[in-house]
Amino acid sequence: MLRVAVVGSGPSGVYTAQALLNQSLVPEVRVHVLDRLPTPYGLVRYGVAPDHEKIKSLQNSLRAVLEDERVTFVGHVQIGGADGVPPARLAELYHAVVYCVGAAADRPLAVPGEELPGSCSATRFVSWYSAHPDSAPDDFALRARSAVVIGVGNVAVDVARILARGADELRATDVPRAALGALAGSRVREVHIVGRRGPSQARFTTKELRELGALPGARILVDPAELARDPAYAAPDGLPLPAVVRRNLEVLRGWAVRGEPAPSGAVYEAHDPSGVPYGPSEAVYGASGAAHGASGAVSDGGRRIRLRFFLRPVELLERGGRVAGVRFARTVPDGAGGVQDTGTYEDIEAQLVLRAVGYRGVELPGLPFDPVRGTVPHAAGRVLRDGVPSPGEYVAGWIKRGPTGVIGSNRSCAKETVASLIEDAPLLARRPAADDPLAVLRAWGQRPVEWDCWLSIERAEEALGRSLGRGPVKIPDWPGLLAAARGEER
């Protein structure tokens, strides 16, 4: 029998377990799917927007794998770190270990003012409305009039949509009650989604983009002049564009035709009349706190979502100790696939700034790590130590290939890794492995939450929802989850 540990119960981890079950060369395989959290499904539970019910239903197919008799879900187990099991010791318990730990860190903007209150990562915002137990309570400055989301990928579209969607529409979802209450009291009326490059280089999918236009009570505004700066937009029929890019441009073209141009914020030259460059902290905010010429809050009671392009963030502006806006450098295509600054700047008022510019893998102590790529060095999924494959150690998912692709991309990634593992199986089977790894983990101070305990959490969330007149509502904190896992009432 081949005993394999898969670290991570998100899509990449579960698809790895599924690929191990589906292969036929090694007939007897037992898989333990380990996770730091007491809940399974990873980003499907804690990263998919609550109003994306079709994507969230992917949990059903993941569940089928985890309920297979050859698979054991083992939550609330820490691998690595001061309180965790080092990878070297974990390797003593299994013939092979596959690390599917994702990319947990977000990329910073690396601009002045990024640490101001009111500025945070979209990852943190998503964790808050998804009830991730590591997320600290926060109102995310929802008393703000205007929000800026920096980035033009699906995460940026998700957070903008949640900000613009009414709380009543989210009541039927599993949004935790504190977040739902905060969203119900939100004063945000203007949401700007801003990218430094053009629409043809945006990373959102057409489905996500179109969902913005379907929001009741929200108006989508796109400036035709900004779209026209993109060579692909200006002559779409003459360029061999990917299908998704062509569809995105058509959606944006429709919005630009029927909407009004997005009003510019404060725009000025890079140098003042004396020829002295403006300093990085010279905001153009008056006593009222609004940028001169910047668009203000919507007065008609609705919400507006403005898609902006060719604007690169250079500074977050401050007033009263909090973020008050973002200064952008206007860019244009450089003819080589990138952009260059034009020497002019624009300020957009915002009391809430969310950055959604990508993720990075985080080093797991005890595993080799490439800090430049943010991944574990590997060859077809085999972990490389000093350039040589390390027997019994494998990676799959974002920690293997970087934060690219959609959920389905993890299937082929997992299959490649499992093919390498099965090829190595004759040697791996000669390695020692524990007869009862869970007993050893408990002896080492871990307190595993197994599948029946997860089912208790599910029942507790259903009961919480019933008490609120809703469907299942997520428990958002560690004490609540662990109490529910033990069958305790709070």
Side-chain angles (χ1 to χ4, degrees):
M1 180 185 296
L2 192 68
R3 296 187 181 275
V4 181
V6 174
V7 181
S9 67
S12 63
V14 177
Y15 290 151
T16 296
Q18 185 178 46
L20 284 164
L21 301 183
N22 289 343
Q23 58 78 35
S24 59
L25 296 179
V26 180
E28 286 194 274
V29 177
R30 294 295 181 269
V31 184
H32 283 183
V33 178
L34 313 180
D35 204 292
R36 181 180 68 87
L37 298 173
T39 56
Y41 310 134
L43 281 179
V44 176
R45 177 176 167 92
Y46 290 120
V48 174
D51 57 345
H52 273 176
E53 295 180 6
K54 184 174 182 180
I55 301 176
K56 289 179 75 67
S57 69
L58 178 62
Q59 290 184 15
N60 295 330
S61 61
L62 301 182
R63 183 189 196 100
V65 177
L66 295 176
E67 287 185 329
D68 189 286
E69 62 182 6
R70 296 166 290 176
V71 175
T72 302
F73 169 72
V74 189
H76 196 218
V77 171
Q78 177 72 42
I79 305 301
D83 300 322
V85 178
R89 297 198 73 183
L90 186 66
E92 298 171 7
L93 306 183
Y94 298 92
H95 294 113
V97 180
V98 186
Y99 292 92
C100 306
V101 293
D106 59 275
R107 293 181 182 274
L109 295 174
V111 300
E114 186 171 9
E115 302 305 320
L116 284 168
S119 163
C120 71
S121 70
T123 304
R124 184 174 150 214
F125 185 63
V126 170
S127 293
W128 171 72
Y129 67 62
S130 297
H132 195 293
D134 290 343
S135 178
D138 197 324
D139 64 3
F140 282 93
L142 295 182
R143 292 183 298 277
R145 300 181 304 278
S146 176
V148 167
V149 182
I150 300 174
V152 282
N154 282 346
V155 173
V157 173
D158 275 351
V159 298
R161 192 181 64 256
I162 294 299
L163 284 170
R165 189 182 283 284
D168 285 343
E169 302 166 56
L170 294 171
R171 196 172 303 280
T173 72
D174 59 5
V175 170
R177 51 184 169 177
L180 186 66
L183 289 166
S186 170
R187 298 180 184 177
V188 175
R189 292 296 178 268
E190 195 100 5
V191 182
H192 304 258
I193 305 175
V194 187
R196 66 184 177 89
R197 297 194 292 181
S200 68
Q201 295 167 310
R203 303 299 296 272
F204 35 62
T205 59
T206 309
K207 178 181 180 295
E208 292 266 0
L209 190 61
R210 284 174 175 156
E211 285 178 346
L212 289 178
L215 290 175
R219 187 175 182 187
I220 313 299
L221 299 173
V222 183
D223 188 346
E226 290 185 342
L227 300 184
R229 291 188 177 95
D230 192 320
Y233 180 84
D237 294 332
L239 294 174
L241 299 176
V244 65
V245 173
R246 192 175 298 280
R247 290 193 298 266
N248 286 348
L249 293 177
E250 288 304 314
V251 171
L252 293 169
R253 180 178 287 107
W255 287 340
V257 167
R258 74 169 186 257
E260 63 189 52
S264 296
V267 182
Y268 51 90
E269 295 299 321
H271 295 75
D272 69 18
S274 68
V276 179
Y278 283 110
S281 62
E282 291 185 55
V284 291
Y285 282 76
S288 66
H292 300 313
S295 57
V298 178
S299 60
D300 59 10
R303 289 185 169 95
R304 295 184 183 178
I305 301 175
R306 302 185 183 276
L307 281 90
R308 307 294 310 277
F309 299 98
F310 294 113
L311 292 172
R312 181 177 66 84
V314 294
E315 181 184 4
L316 272 60
L317 306 173
E318 177 268 339
R319 183 174 182 268
R322 296 186 60 86
V323 68
V326 185
R327 175 161 296 169
F328 293 93
R330 168 63 70 186
T331 64
V332 292
D334 63 4
V339 292
Q340 60 188 16
D341 291 356
T342 63
T344 60
Y345 297 84
E346 176 175 334
D347 292 348
I348 297 179
E349 175 193 357
Q351 299 80 36
L352 173 63
V353 177
L354 301 173
R355 64 178 181 273
V357 292
Y359 297 93
R360 280 187 58 81
V362 177
E363 181 176 7
L364 184 67
L367 279 184
F369 187 71
D370 181 344
V372 176
R373 294 175 54 85
T375 58
V376 171
H378 72 94
R382 297 179 176 93
V383 171
L384 298 178
R385 292 183 180 273
D386 298 323
V388 178
S390 176
E393 292 186 313
Y394 302 86
V395 285
W398 280 2
I399 198 63
K400 169 187 172 184
R401 69 180 190 276
T404 61
V406 295
I407 290 176
S409 305
N410 291 295
R411 284 188 181 275
S412 56
C413 179
K415 287 179 179 178
E416 179 191 54
T417 294
V418 168
S420 295
L421 190 158
I422 296 302
E423 184 179 331
D424 300 339
L427 293 176
L428 297 176
R430 300 175 191 169
R431 293 162 49 91
D435 291 332
D436 188 352
L438 297 192
V440 180
L441 288 172
R442 291 189 180 95
W444 289 348
Q446 300 297 309
R447 296 293 179 265
V449 168
E450 296 182 61
W451 190 253
D452 59 340
C453 298
W454 156 242
L455 296 181
S456 293
I457 294 174
E458 279 194 321
R459 289 191 293 270
E461 293 184 337
E462 290 168 358
L464 174 60
R466 283 194 300 271
S467 72
L468 299 172
R470 300 169 56 190
V473 172
K474 287 179 184 172
I475 297 170
D477 59 281
W478 277 99
L481 288 170
L482 295 178
R486 294 189 295 265
E488 301 173 2
E489 294 186 8
R490 293 186 68 204

